[in-house]
Structure formats: structure tokens, C-alpha cells
Amino acid sequence: MNDKTMGLMLGAIGVAAFNLGFSAGKYPDDYIPVWTSQDGGDISMMMNTDEIARIIPVAPDVMSREDEGYVEVHFSDGKMYKVYEDFDEFMSRVRNSRR
């Protein structure tokens, strides 16, 4: 292998390692993003998982206009937010955000 090929290979490895490290630490520890829709979109807020007091899955109500379930997230300061995300996925993100 010549010097030029070796330099290109090491440069590519360096760029890949930098990008992997950057994407792994994209959000601060103990915080998870909450998006504007289930399909992604813009981040509407960053949720501090240390402040979560209770998480309640709510099934869709046949008698109401809500056609999909959501998760009620209650915080230690008394606030409550509805997160329109699958309960298992949300719990997995909460668990993974904790140190």
C-alpha cells in the first residue's frame, strides 16, 4: 500500500470515528427529544427524564375522536404532557437516556 492510499484510508477512518462520536452524544444525558409528530418532524421540546414522576399509557378511546393512543408523562413539579408515541418505544428512550 502506498503512502497516498494509507493517508486516504486513515482520513476516512478518522471522519467515520468523528461522526460516530458526534451522533452518539447528540443530546445531553438524561434528556430526550419530543417531536411534533410521530413520524418525526421538528423537536418540540427536550424532556428531562430525571424529573419524570409517572408515565401512564393511554389507549385510544373508541367514543372520542382520538384514533391513536398516547403516553401521559407526569413530572415532579406537577406538569403533565401528552406524548403521542408508542409506550414501549418511549420507555426504551427514557431508559437509554439515563446514565
Side-chain angles (χ1 to χ4, degrees), residues 25-96:
K26 191 172 183 180
Y27 305 112
D29 287 342
D30 303 326
Y31 281 84
I32 58 172
V34 178
W35 294 279
T36 54
S37 71
Q38 273 190 318
D39 299 330
D42 297 327
I43 295 176
S44 63
M45 67 181 279
M46 293 295 291
M47 188 176 287
N48 185 349
T49 58
D50 282 344
E51 298 295 321
I52 295 175
R54 188 171 36 166
I55 299 172
I56 303 171
V58 178
D61 186 5
V62 182
M63 301 303 288
S64 74
R65 294 182 180 188
E66 294 183 12
D67 59 346
E68 56 189 43
Y70 57 90
V71 180
E72 281 186 2
V73 183
H74 296 262
F75 289 90
S76 57
D77 63 358
K79 293 181 183 175
M80 189 274 295
Y81 292 100
K82 290 182 181 179
V83 178
Y84 291 90
E85 184 175 344
D86 179 64
F87 176 74
D88 293 328
E89 289 177 20
F90 182 76
M91 288 303 298
S92 173
R93 292 193 318 121
V94 169
R95 278 189 222 102
N96 291 336

